[in-house]
Amino acid sequence: QVQLQQSGAELVKPGTSVKLSCKASGYTFTSNHMNWIKQTTGQGLEWIGIINPGSGGTSYNVKFKGKATLTVDKSSSTAFMQLSSLTPEDSAVYYCARLSGHYVMDAWGQGASVTVSS
Amino acid sequence: DIQMTQSPASLSASLGETVTIECLASEDIYSNLAWYQQKPGKSPQLLIYYANSLNDGVPSRFSGSGSGTQYSLKINSLQSEDVSIYFCQQNYDSPWTFGGGTKLELK
């Protein structure tokens, strides 16, 4: 079965960076694009961007350009998202989610909580 | 960006009841609409895509309808396991955007 296993919770200081991982299993990693989504209590769900694991090509929500960088490691079937210049507004749960053939997110990771605090 | 407005924001219903959640897009999204269910403490799960297509394994008491800018999710014969937050999402135009969510509770 399709599984997306995300890295654990992070407590980080303002101004630093954090790199989250999402290890895929149960399907061919390069066959489906991978999305990243931010969830906060106040802003709900926000789509950050998407990466094609086969080519490494990316597309970002303009709001997150310069904040998020998406990469993959095909050898380990793992997608990564680096968040830079962190502020308290970046505190959220971040999900990776596979894009289906119907262009919707048909499998989600369990989420990774990021808390930015001094 | 396309704005997605869900209503109501919260809803209380009894077991066995039928409930309907609405989603309004700020422009025509040509049925490129998905519904997700998020149970407490869990990640969202896909229920419906292309406005009315049921994802594999989703109970048939869930159904979606709509076109243009107006869409709805209907749950027939409400079960206790349906207590969740429901989100709509448009995948017509980038950036993909979500509704604010509808919290469904049991009365």
Side-chain angles (χ1 to χ4, degrees):
Chain A
Q1 71 283 20
V2 174
Q3 286 193 330
L4 301 176
Q5 183 65 40
Q6 297 188 236
S7 48
E10 301 270 4
L11 172 59
V12 294
K13 294 193 183 305
T16 63
S17 298
V18 67
K19 191 170 186 178
L20 309 180
S21 66
C22 170
K23 182 171 176 59
S25 61
Y27 72 101
T28 302
F29 179 61
T30 52
S31 295
N32 297 76
H33 289 50
M34 190 71 76
N35 298 273
W36 288 86
I37 298 98
K38 177 183 182 181
Q39 185 169 34
T40 59
T41 305
Q43 297 296 316
L45 292 163
E46 295 180 277
W47 178 76
I48 296 170
I50 190 169
I51 186 165
N52 178 341
S55 67
T58 55
S59 177
Y60 293 92
N61 183 339
V62 168
K63 180 178 178 180
F64 292 94
K65 271 190 177 177
K67 171 63 63 179
T69 302
L70 306 184
T71 56
V72 295
D73 175 9
K74 286 190 281 188
S75 68
S76 63
S77 298
T78 304
F80 299 93
M81 179 174 67
Q82 180 160 324
L83 299 170
S84 62
S85 303
L86 291 164
T87 72
E89 287 66 42
D90 297 315
S91 296
V93 175
Y94 293 88
Y95 293 100
C96 58
R98 188 183 79 158
L99 189 71
S100 79
H102 300 292
Y103 293 91
V104 289
M105 298 171 226
D106 69 342
W108 294 61
Q110 82 274 23
S113 174
V114 174
T115 303
V116 183
S117 174
S118 55
Chain B
D1 299 0
I2 297 176
Q3 305 303 313
M4 305 300 291
T5 304
Q6 271 185 252
S7 60
S10 62
L11 179 57
S12 182
S14 302
L15 290 174
E17 221 178 297
T18 294
V19 300
T20 301
I21 298 168
E22 309 283 346
C23 184
L24 178 67
S26 60
E27 62 183 81
D28 195 328
I29 56 172
Y30 301 94
S31 297
N32 289 283
L33 183 102
W35 290 96
Y36 298 88
Q37 176 191 53
Q38 186 174 30
K39 295 188 177 184
K42 301 293 186 182
S43 54
Q45 299 296 312
L46 177 66
L47 290 176
I48 286 169
Y49 58 94
Y50 288 152
N52 60 14
S53 295
L54 211 60
N55 192 32
D56 291 343
V58 175
S60 59
R61 65 179 180 274
F62 290 90
S63 63
S65 64
S67 62
T69 62
Q70 296 183 296
Y71 300 87
S72 60
L73 173 70
K74 185 177 176 182
I75 310 173
N76 287 315
S77 189
L78 188 69
Q79 306 293 304
S80 57
E81 60 265 31
D82 300 334
V83 169
S84 301
I85 301 176
Y86 294 86
F87 295 94
C88 60
Q89 178 241 329
Q90 65 83 17
N91 60 325
Y92 173 67
D93 193 28
S94 183
W96 296 336
T97 47
F98 294 84
T102 295
K103 187 173 184 179
L104 176 58
E105 298 175 317
L106 282 179
K107 192 179 290 183

